[in-house]
Amino acid sequence: MLNMWRISWRNITKNKKRFFISLLGIILGISFVTSMLVADKTTNDVFNYYEQMYVANADYWILSDKHTLSEDSVSSVSTSSAVMETLLALDKQAFFELEGDKSLNQRSVRITGVNDQNSPLLKLPVIEGSLDNEGLVIPEVVANLLNKKVGDTIRFADLGEAKVSAIVEYTQLLASPSDWEGAESTSFRVMAPLDLLREWTGMDNELSYLRFQTNEDGQQLFQSLQKEFLHSNVYVQPVVADDQQSNDIGGLYTFFYLIAGLSMFISGFIVFNMIYTSVMERKKEFAIMKSFGYLQSSVSRLIFIDVILLALIGTAIGVPIGIWLGDMFMQTLLSVFEFDMVYTLNWKIPALTAVVIGILFPVVFSLFPIYNAGKTSVLLTLKKANQTHSSTRQHIIRAIVGVGLLSFVFIDHPVSYLAILASIILLFPLLLLGLSRIFKPILKIVFGYSGNMAARNLTQQLNRNANTSAILAVGIAVILLLSAVIETAPEGYENEIRNTYGGDLRVTSEAPWSNEDIATLRSYESVSNVEPFTEAKPITWETIDGKKRQFSIFAVDKEGPTLFEDPERDELYKELKKEPSILLGKRAFDEWGGDVGGYIHINAPSGVQQLKVIEVVNTSHYSGYVAFMDESYLNNEFGWANSFDMLLTLNDGYTGEQLRDQLWQDFSKHLSKVETVEEAIKSTTSALSGMNELILTMLVLIVGLASIGTANTLLMNTLERNSEIGTMRALGFTKQQVRKMIIGEGLLIGLSGVIGGIASGMILVYVTSQSKLLGGFISFQIPLGNIILALIAGVSLSLFASWISSTTASKINIISSLKEG
């Protein structure tokens, strides 16, 4: 057995340059796969970690639709035998007292007072200091921005001052902006002892919420509390780990696996080319082995060991590189989010998965060459009767199938994308022939007679050369589609947000808005309309398979602001009034897992309700992870009576920025947030802007990987034409002319791949823009910058790949090559 491994090592390293290029392709492919698996797993862990940190050990919490509740009204919870731990909390909006000209909006801060900073119902990852229940707990970003350390004093306008006792890592409870620009739309958050906050505010008996942990009798207590609070402003909810309203990362996972699959496909093609060519070169060797009694399985096993050996080496090198790349991806990905989250790289399971993939995928892509080696015919091989050139009939069949698959551009279905990519590969021989004729005069001018020879030589291994070019085209097409989506998505998001935001500003208060407050808002010269915006939150519900989830429910009415898009919107308003029913946003509907017409179970403030889902609608609010209910039903039967938000529509010529300072001055005692529609758009699209840089990096890496395939193909073409090149040299061809010929071939392959990729990418972008699912969201827009980058990277890397092969061709020994011929 050891001898077989030695023979395999000798065979795969016989041509060191081809071995190195093929190995490099496997290394890069498995590196990309590993990095994507690591990034996927780590990203998932990051958000799970912060979800669990938010939940801590709490099972339930008691809240109020009036923002605060009396501590006396929930005193029975603390004394219940079913309750193991409790946490009392009070939220109060305030303002930092700072030197300089910072606006009220920038200085706004939400102070959360808790009765025990060390409670098991809280998870505060301390960086510096201690949770002593005497001072302030602030997140690291606030400490850095205010230049505060443990022991320093922070002052709050019209309240008081306190020393910093602990600085903590990012946590949802204390999520704060990291710069003053972000503070324009997001308040800072700090934590203080409950008694101290009550002393400052005089809210001695008030709470914003009470969290508690229960024993096995917790469900009974939950049900009894629902009955107890049935006709009050207090309600109880399970504490659920679900942050999908603030984190929509499903698209990231799709991106991960698309890039991983694409890189593995390209690497697999490189492996296939090498193994298949090696089998063709060793046909006579296999025939002799079989004539001496070797079985078909023995010959196939020999090639199988070649592949396994190559896969093991590539995996051993590629996986560690992939782990490092995964770390780089995580830093890039998390930088696009608004808050500074920390992570621990989860690489062990992804690395093991990548090892399995790294060993299996070269074998899968080599199954045909392995089988072909075992089926070698002794008589035909020894007679040299086997032909390697493709027949005209094969080209015709390939073209017909390719045209048929290309017709999928007119079919609006996800399978169309796979059909189009397959058609690209099948039609590439025709494209390569056409472009070689078009560029032949140019090659002749640039390379002389060597250019003519380069164009002619492409037809000798047309399918192999076309497949190589097609792989480059597929990589470019997919990346261009992704970049077009990233570039045009902000425009689609902007349209969706403007159409469903409900106004120009959303003004949030700590307490329900009074009639006097609403009159003041309407008195502003810049304001044309003021509408209450009722959001019931947090509301827990169950998916079809019984998992607990949490979202917001908005009140809607035909005469109220437009919060969702649907062609039958007026009819939906009528349907909502007929019976207890609900509309689900797209992401909430997908998470629920049911069908329109089915019933969803929701923990309403008035108790558990079963509501009919009458439709799924599009909305920008929380990226579609929301629900909508008739306003009168939400206020009465559902049990949510108050509005903490107002939607303001401005007169022409006015902007939200002009009104912001006035709002903070007039309502500073209870105002907690002022958000303009422009800030909502920026918050949603900022992550996409950061993703574009990652897309550009992926474009270069995928083109680079495909160019390795080009180098591999050219090298194999050169070695197969060893005697032909020797004859050319004997007839007077110089080394320089041979080099130009190989470079010309590589340039044609690379240029065809780039042109085909750009054309295919535009087809995919067009199909996406016309899709009913995404047509109104993604517009047909040419990503010109990425096209230029693809052209430069594709041509330059193809030239570099062909230069590598040309050095081999120029060193061919004339005498030995003529002897072989």
Side-chain angles (χ1 to χ4, degrees):
M1 186 66 180
L2 182 60
N3 286 334
M4 292 193 72
W5 285 96
R6 288 175 176 171
I7 293 170
S8 292
W9 174 253
R10 183 201 65 194
N11 288 331
I12 64 175
T13 59
K14 183 169 27 178
N15 187 297
K16 290 181 174 54
K17 188 174 288 187
R18 184 171 70 185
F19 166 72
F20 175 77
I21 292 174
S22 301
L23 183 62
L24 184 59
I26 294 178
I27 290 172
L28 289 180
I30 198 61
S31 295
F32 291 164
V33 170
T34 305
S35 63
M36 294 301 118
L37 291 173
V38 169
D40 184 347
K41 185 67 174 175
T42 304
T43 304
N44 200 27
D45 285 353
V46 166
F47 289 109
N48 284 339
Y49 169 73
Y50 285 114
E51 281 182 353
Q52 295 304 319
M53 184 185 294
Y54 170 76
V55 171
N57 296 316
D59 295 312
Y60 302 95
W61 57 343
I62 299 174
L63 309 99
S64 170
D65 69 346
K66 296 181 68 174
H67 178 65
T68 59
L69 53 95
S70 167
E71 184 176 347
D72 294 337
S73 66
V74 294
S75 59
S76 60
V77 175
S78 301
T79 58
S80 172
S81 60
V83 176
M84 300 168 61
E85 295 284 348
T86 59
L87 176 70
L88 282 62
L90 174 65
D91 290 332
K92 184 67 181 77
Q93 201 70 20
F95 300 95
F96 285 131
E97 193 173 281
L98 302 174
E99 296 180 359
D101 56 353
K102 297 293 185 291
S103 66
L104 281 176
N105 194 49
Q106 289 177 308
R107 294 191 285 117
S108 67
V109 53
R110 189 186 74 178
I111 307 174
T112 297
V114 297
N115 65 321
D116 183 6
Q117 294 174 352
N118 286 295
S119 170
L121 305 187
L122 273 179
K123 285 189 177 181
L124 300 171
V126 177
I127 298 175
E128 182 182 353
S130 62
L131 304 173
D132 58 10
N133 289 311
E134 294 182 1
L136 300 175
V137 179
I138 64 174
E140 186 179 21
V141 291
V142 174
N144 293 336
L145 198 60
L146 300 184
N147 194 26
K148 297 293 183 180
K149 299 179 180 179
V150 172
D152 291 347
T153 299
I154 294 179
R155 294 180 175 84
F156 301 94
D158 300 325
L159 287 181
E161 64 179 35
K163 291 185 177 181
V164 176
S165 60
I167 297 173
V168 297
E169 294 177 0
Y170 169 84
T171 172
Q172 282 183 306
L173 188 63
L174 300 179
S176 300
S178 58
D179 53 48
W180 293 113
E181 182 180 358
E184 287 287 353
S185 57
T186 306
S187 293
F188 295 101
R189 299 181 184 183
V190 301
M191 184 175 289
L194 179 60
D195 291 341
L196 179 61
L197 184 59
R198 283 177 166 176
E199 179 184 332
W200 286 347
T201 61
M203 303 170 71
D204 294 334
N205 192 42
E206 292 185 64
L207 296 174
S208 293
Y209 57 86
L210 180 148
R211 285 190 173 203
F212 58 96
Q213 183 185 21
T214 63
N215 54 28
E216 62 274 5
D217 297 325
Q219 183 64 27
Q220 295 178 2
L221 175 62
F222 171 62
Q223 293 172 352
S224 66
L225 289 175
Q226 282 186 316
K227 294 178 181 178
E228 178 182 342
F229 301 142
L230 187 59
H231 300 293
S232 70
N233 292 112
V234 179
Y235 67 101
V236 60
Q237 291 279 299
V239 177
V240 176
D242 183 10
D243 69 344
Q244 293 190 64
Q245 282 196 327
S246 56
N247 295 315
D248 178 14
I249 59 173
L252 292 183
Y253 292 154
T254 303
F255 173 75
F256 292 156
Y257 289 117
L258 184 59
I259 296 299
L262 187 60
S263 60
M264 191 167 62
F265 177 68
I266 296 174
S267 296
F269 172 75
I270 294 172
V271 174
F272 171 83
N273 256 0
M274 176 191 177
I275 300 301
Y276 184 77
T277 304
S278 176
V279 168
M280 292 299 103
E281 289 174 349
R282 297 165 60 190
K283 278 286 188 178
K284 184 180 290 188
E285 175 188 336
F286 299 148
I288 295 173
M289 289 172 63
K290 294 183 77 172
S291 67
F292 278 104
Y294 276 78
L295 300 175
Q296 175 180 335
S297 59
S298 301
V299 175
S300 294
R301 185 165 64 251
L302 187 62
I303 302 300
F304 176 77
I305 293 176
D306 290 356
V307 177
I308 288 294
L309 189 56
L310 197 63
L312 287 173
I313 298 171
T315 301
I317 300 173
V319 169
I321 296 175
I323 294 172
W324 173 77
L325 281 177
D327 193 20
M328 297 297 102
F329 277 125
M330 284 307 305
Q331 294 179 28
T332 304
L333 287 170
L334 292 183
S335 68
V336 305
F337 289 96
E338 185 177 354
F339 304 111
D340 296 330
M341 292 180 278
V342 297
Y343 68 93
T344 300
L345 200 68
N346 188 334
W347 59 270
K348 293 181 180 179
I349 294 178
L352 290 174
T353 305
V355 167
V356 174
I357 294 174
I359 294 173
L360 287 181
F361 91 82
V363 174
V364 171
F365 278 92
S366 303
L367 286 177
F368 176 74
I370 291 171
Y371 172 79
N372 194 32
K375 292 292 289 183
T376 300
S377 171
V378 177
L379 293 177
L380 291 179
T381 302
L382 295 179
K383 289 180 179 180
K384 297 183 179 180
N386 57 315
Q387 299 295 320
T388 60
H389 296 288
S390 302
S391 66
T392 304
R393 182 182 178 185
Q394 288 177 327
H395 292 150
I396 294 174
I397 295 174
R398 181 169 175 164
I400 292 173
V401 176
V403 171
L405 291 175
L406 191 60
S407 64
F408 272 75
V409 296
F410 304 107
I411 300 175
D412 187 10
H413 193 277
V415 76
S416 298
Y417 294 94
L418 293 176
I420 293 169
L421 292 176
S423 72
I424 294 169
I425 297 174
L426 292 173
L427 291 173
F428 237 85
L430 296 179
L431 178 62
L432 189 59
L433 285 174
L435 290 176
S436 66
R437 291 178 181 176
I438 294 172
F439 286 105
K440 186 175 181 180
I442 299 175
L443 288 177
K444 185 176 180 181
I445 294 172
V446 176
F447 298 117
Y449 183 69
S450 298
N452 273 343
M453 294 296 296
R456 183 185 66 82
N457 289 338
L458 285 180
T459 61
Q460 292 187 14
Q461 286 290 351
L462 182 59
N463 278 345
R464 181 194 296 167
N465 294 331
N467 289 341
T468 301
S469 190
I471 294 302
L472 174 59
V474 167
I476 291 176
V478 172
I479 297 297
L480 287 182
L481 173 62
L482 290 175
S483 63
V485 170
I486 294 298
E487 286 190 10
T488 61
E491 181 181 342
Y493 274 121
E494 180 175 352
N495 293 334
E496 186 176 68
I497 291 172
R498 290 191 185 280
N499 291 336
T500 62
Y501 194 75
D504 297 311
L505 281 91
R506 179 177 176 179
V507 187
T508 305
S509 170
E510 279 189 336
W513 291 89
S514 66
N515 291 332
E516 183 182 349
D517 292 334
I518 296 174
T520 302
L521 292 173
R522 287 175 174 163
S523 68
Y524 292 144
E525 181 182 350
S526 58
V527 176
S528 64
N529 191 33
V530 178
E531 291 281 356
F533 180 52
T534 305
E535 177 183 359
K537 65 174 183 180
I539 303 298
T540 58
W541 50 282
E542 289 186 1
T543 63
I544 288 296
D545 54 5
K547 295 180 180 178
K548 287 185 171 60
R549 292 291 182 262
Q550 174 181 289
F551 59 15
S552 298
I553 299 180
F554 294 145
V556 292
D557 185 81
K558 187 175 181 180
E559 305 302 322
T562 300
L563 303 180
F564 64 88
E565 288 183 316
D566 191 274
E568 305 294 330
R569 189 166 55 209
D570 290 345
E571 291 299 320
L572 293 178
Y573 288 136
K574 295 178 182 178
E575 290 292 324
L576 286 173
K577 289 183 177 297
K578 289 181 181 178
E579 61 177 315
S581 55
I582 199 169
L583 302 173
L584 292 181
K586 182 65 170 62
R587 284 182 59 227
F589 181 80
D590 292 340
E591 184 68 17
W592 173 53
D595 299 315
V596 172
Y599 288 84
I600 184 172
H601 292 83
I602 294 181
N603 288 308
S606 59
V608 178
Q609 295 192 10
Q610 183 174 274
L611 300 174
K612 182 179 181 180
V613 178
I614 62 173
E615 190 56 87
V616 52
V617 296
N618 294 321
T619 181
S620 63
H621 295 283
Y622 299 115
S623 301
Y625 201 72
V626 291
F628 300 93
M629 185 180 293
D630 177 68
E631 185 174 17
S632 61
Y633 185 87
L634 183 72
N635 293 339
N636 299 309
E637 289 86 347
F638 192 78
W640 189 278
N642 295 299
S643 297
F644 295 94
D645 297 89
M646 288 289 164
L647 289 172
L648 277 57
T649 303
L650 303 182
N651 290 310
D652 293 341
Y654 291 93
T655 65
E657 292 295 333
Q658 297 169 330
L659 185 59
R660 188 197 300 273
D661 290 342
Q662 185 67 46
L663 289 167
W664 280 106
Q665 290 175 11
D666 291 347
F667 303 102
S668 59
K669 291 184 178 180
H670 61 83
L671 193 64
S672 63
K673 186 176 183 180
V674 177
E675 182 188 60
T676 67
V677 64
E678 285 77 16
E679 288 168 344
I681 293 169
K682 182 179 178 181
S683 175
T684 303
T685 59
S686 60
L688 293 173
S689 301
M691 287 291 290
N692 194 43
E693 297 179 4
L694 194 57
I695 288 289
L696 294 177
T697 304
M698 288 293 97
L699 175 59
V700 175
L701 291 176
I702 290 297
V703 171
L705 181 56
S707 296
I708 292 174
T710 302
N712 201 31
T713 295
L714 289 172
L715 187 60
M716 288 185 289
N717 290 347
T718 300
L719 295 175
E720 287 179 1
R721 288 162 26 214
N722 197 23
S723 59
E724 178 187 331
I725 293 174
T727 302
M728 293 170 63
R729 292 279 286 113
L731 293 175
F733 248 60
T734 64
K735 290 184 178 182
Q736 194 67 20
Q737 286 177 311
V738 172
R739 278 193 171 189
K740 288 181 179 179
M741 179 181 70
I742 302 299
I743 291 175
E745 292 177 30
L747 182 60
L748 275 176
I749 292 174
L751 199 56
S752 298
V754 171
I755 294 173
I758 292 173
S760 305
M762 292 303 94
I763 292 174
L764 292 176
V765 172
Y766 174 78
V767 170
T768 303
S769 67
Q770 298 302 307
S771 168
K772 290 182 180 179
L773 180 63
L774 297 172
F777 189 73
I778 304 298
S779 61
F780 180 70
Q781 184 173 327
I782 299 175
L784 188 59
N786 290 355
I787 287 177
I788 294 174
L789 179 61
L791 183 62
I792 294 173
V795 172
S796 58
L797 290 173
S798 295
L799 282 174
F800 178 71
S802 58
W803 175 81
I804 294 174
S805 301
S806 70
T807 56
T808 299
S810 65
K811 294 177 181 178
I812 290 177
N813 185 278
I814 299 176
I815 297 176
S816 60
S817 63
L818 290 176
K819 286 182 179 179
E820 289 179 13

